[in-house]
Amino acid sequence: MAGALHPLNPCRYDTSGVDAKGSDTTNGIVVGPKGRNLGAGPSFTVPPEDFVALDPGLIVVACCGFDIPRTKREMPALVENAWWKELRAVKEGNVWVVDGNQMFNRPGPRLVDALEWLVSVLYNIPEVCPPRFPAEKWE
């Protein structure tokens, strides 16, 4: 959710050269009163207590550089933590393992497929899911 309203990595803004009305004084483009959206900050390790405090209703595990079999081999490092079983998404069976390497972690047209898959899962609209999207529910 880089650049979106994300509780763990909020969007950063650059207000230099932006007037009170939200116009960029260097080229006249309206950018909003907060300034230019610089996106989220760099990646970082989220402490488990911060993650647990959010109690997400959906968890998507899309590891950079890993396909689904490799991600599944790495899942014990996550799921063997005592706090994992207490998460709402885990209790409700709403944890997905996705081929992050292929679908989420590289720029390109597959990001559109990833977005469509997310919409299908978030809003329970299976017909918008791309055919053969590489995702599996974690049991």
Side-chain angles (χ1 to χ4, degrees):
M1 297 190 80
L5 296 176
H6 193 286
L8 295 175
N9 198 358
C11 188
R12 300 168 300 131
Y13 294 93
D14 175 14
T15 56
S16 61
V18 177
D19 65 22
K21 293 180 182 174
S23 294
D24 183 329
T25 56
T26 59
N27 61 20
I29 296 173
V30 176
V31 294
K34 291 184 179 180
R36 282 179 221 70
N37 182 339
L38 300 177
S43 297
F44 59 93
T45 300
V46 176
E49 56 273 12
D50 291 354
F51 191 68
V52 170
L54 290 174
D55 197 20
L58 169 69
I59 298 173
V60 177
V61 182
C63 298
C64 187
F66 292 2
D67 59 12
I68 290 175
R70 173 71 190 274
T71 301
K72 289 167 83 172
R73 286 195 305 272
E74 299 294 331
M75 285 294 285
L78 182 61
V79 303
E80 290 175 359
N81 290 287
W83 52 264
W84 175 261
K85 295 171 193 67
E86 300 306 314
L87 296 170
R88 181 169 38 115
V90 175
K91 290 177 183 177
E92 295 174 359
N94 214 4
V95 178
W96 290 85
V97 177
V98 177
D99 186 332
N101 188 52
Q102 187 180 159
M103 304 311 295
F104 279 90
N105 305 323
R106 297 176 187 216
R110 288 183 179 171
L111 285 174
V112 175
D113 290 340
L115 175 62
E116 290 173 343
W117 176 80
L118 281 171
V119 167
S120 77
V121 172
L122 287 169
Y123 297 101
N124 194 24
I125 311 171
E127 59 271 16
V128 301
C129 182
R132 298 176 304 285
F133 188 84
E136 297 178 12
K137 271 208 166 186
W138 178 257
E139 303 295 333

